[in-house]
Amino acid sequence: MSKRRDPNPEFDLFIPALGDLPLKDQREVMERPFFSLQKRKRLKPIEYRSPDGEAWVRVQAIPDYGMATIWDADILIWAASTLNRMKQQGINDLPRTLTTTPYDLLRAIKRSTGGRDYQELQAALLRLQTTSITTSIRATKRRQKAGFNWLDSWTFDTDAETEQPRGMTLTLSDWVYDGIVNEKSLLTMHPDYFLLSGGLERALYRIARKHAGTQRGGWLCRVEVLRDKTGSDAKPKEFNRMLRRAIEADQLPDYGMELTETTDKSPAVLFRLRGEAEALAFSERMRAEEERHARFAADRQRADQVDAHMDRLAGRR
């Protein structure tokens, strides 16, 4: 598993890098499986239902393009972050259609800007527009559900002479737009999220950010529940193998992971803020050191007592 890597270590000063403003994503989308975790075309639907049965998600793809991937979702994160910045600037009439350039968008989400990258950007827009989602999330009634695509439309302008991409627009669907403009719907993400190379790693970070947050003691999740939340189509044995690799690689921004068990001995993962995990590890090392010194002192005291006893016996002789 490769480490996080920035394909563009040097940014032009005039380009508004997304890292300069808070990176935002929707809470509802972060904790549930809405995207494919693989770059190869996925046609198998995602079927998810929460343990309590209240929330469910169904994601479907069309054969021509496949399902929107977790890397395609970077475009939606850019949109959420851009709209949030507009809101902070006091703009009340937030647009559903955003205008930028392919170059600026690719640089903002820390992608390269070669010819193939522009082609992959267009493919991502197509997947976001054609992937179909049905869900009970935000339903006001028990039997209500909503259906939508991530994007309603998009445009890609190309220079007539050079055939180089010049400008682009993307129009968010109502469901996505409403989720972004809601005051309490967004969470701040670590800017290094874009540098995570693995789909499972990205899903694990999003889940940890939503559930573990900054709570003390971290957040414990059964492995089987975690598999459902990621939307992975891997078999349980293969998912467990990939999960162990992700834990060993230890590449998630902000969070450390460790395999553990629940009270009923079910396999689980503990997500904990790195600062807290490091502090706990230091505390455990100090406690072990204190215990070692205590054992040494106790052994020394017993040895002194034995020596004193032997000296007394020798004196009586």
Side-chain angles (χ1 to χ4, degrees):
M1 185 171 296
S2 60
K3 294 186 177 181
R4 299 195 296 270
R5 180 179 61 85
D6 189 342
N8 299 299
E10 296 183 2
F11 284 82
D12 297 334
L13 294 178
F14 63 89
I15 296 175
L18 194 56
D20 295 338
L21 56 107
L23 197 62
K24 300 287 185 178
D25 201 6
Q26 298 183 61
R27 297 171 184 266
E28 300 160 319
V29 176
M30 294 172 72
E31 67 172 310
R32 299 183 179 99
F34 282 94
F35 301 100
S36 171
L37 303 186
Q38 58 200 29
K39 291 188 176 180
R40 68 178 184 275
K41 184 187 291 186
R42 173 170 175 166
L43 298 178
K44 179 183 178 181
I46 293 176
E47 301 273 5
Y48 168 81
R49 185 174 292 274
S50 62
D52 61 9
E54 292 296 319
W56 56 267
V57 175
R58 179 177 174 82
V59 185
Q60 296 174 282
I62 65 173
D64 286 349
Y65 304 115
M67 185 180 296
T69 72
I70 201 164
W71 293 272
D72 300 340
D74 290 354
I75 297 172
L76 301 177
I77 295 174
W78 170 84
S81 304
T82 301
L83 287 173
N84 183 68
R85 176 177 58 183
M86 292 180 180
K87 187 191 305 183
Q88 291 177 338
Q89 292 172 341
I91 299 174
N92 294 322
D93 189 13
L94 298 176
R96 234 177 14 107
T97 298
L98 298 174
T99 302
T100 185
T101 69
Y103 179 83
D104 286 349
L105 177 54
L106 287 171
R107 293 298 292 271
I109 60 178
K110 299 191 176 182
R111 305 282 178 88
S112 300
T113 54
R116 183 176 179 180
D117 299 291
Y118 291 112
Q119 294 175 2
E120 291 179 350
L121 177 58
Q122 291 185 66
L125 294 169
L126 280 168
R127 286 189 292 268
L128 290 169
Q129 184 185 14
T130 58
T131 296
S132 175
I133 304 98
T134 312
T135 181
S136 64
I137 297 172
R138 295 191 210 151
T140 56
K141 300 177 182 178
R142 183 174 179 81
R143 302 182 66 84
Q144 194 176 52
K145 57 185 178 182
F148 63 94
N149 304 88
W150 298 111
L151 299 179
D152 277 357
S153 63
W154 57 273
T155 64
F156 217 76
D157 298 330
T158 305
D159 187 278
E161 295 182 0
T162 65
E163 296 187 354
Q164 293 297 313
R166 298 175 55 186
M168 61 175 290
T169 67
L170 55 89
T171 302
L172 303 171
S173 67
D174 287 337
W175 194 92
V176 175
Y177 176 81
D178 291 343
I180 292 174
V181 300
N182 186 302
E183 287 292 335
K184 298 180 180 180
S185 68
L186 300 181
L187 277 178
T188 301
M189 300 173 68
H190 196 287
D192 283 354
Y193 168 79
F194 284 146
L195 304 182
L196 289 173
S197 60
L200 178 59
E201 291 172 295
R202 284 172 163 244
L204 291 172
Y205 171 78
R206 293 159 69 92
I207 292 168
R209 179 65 187 90
K210 169 60 177 66
H211 289 288
T214 58
Q215 63 178 302
R216 298 189 61 178
W219 175 68
L220 187 69
C221 184
R222 295 173 186 266
V223 170
E224 59 181 349
V225 174
L226 197 58
R227 177 173 175 268
D228 289 341
K229 279 183 167 291
T230 64
S232 173
D233 62 349
K235 300 295 184 182
K237 185 176 181 179
E238 174 65 12
F239 178 80
N240 293 343
R241 185 185 67 81
M242 294 189 299
L243 180 60
R244 285 194 298 271
R245 287 181 59 190
I247 293 173
E248 291 170 0
D250 192 27
Q251 290 296 303
L252 296 195
D254 288 333
Y255 299 98
M257 299 181 290
E258 61 182 87
L259 281 173
T260 183
E261 294 180 340
T262 60
T263 54
D264 63 359
K265 303 300 181 181
S266 298
V269 176
L270 177 63
F271 296 86
R272 189 158 43 201
L273 277 173
R274 288 194 180 278
E276 184 184 43
E278 291 166 0
L280 181 61
F282 177 76
S283 176
E284 290 176 348
R285 288 197 301 271
M286 292 300 294
R287 184 169 60 251
E289 187 68 12
E290 290 173 356
E291 291 175 353
R292 188 179 71 82
H293 282 296
R295 287 196 300 271
F296 177 80
D299 291 343
R300 182 64 177 269
Q301 184 179 20
R302 283 195 295 271
D304 290 343
Q305 291 173 345
V306 170
D307 289 343
H309 181 65
M310 296 300 293
D311 288 343
R312 287 195 297 273
L313 291 177
R316 291 174 184 172
R317 295 174 186 171

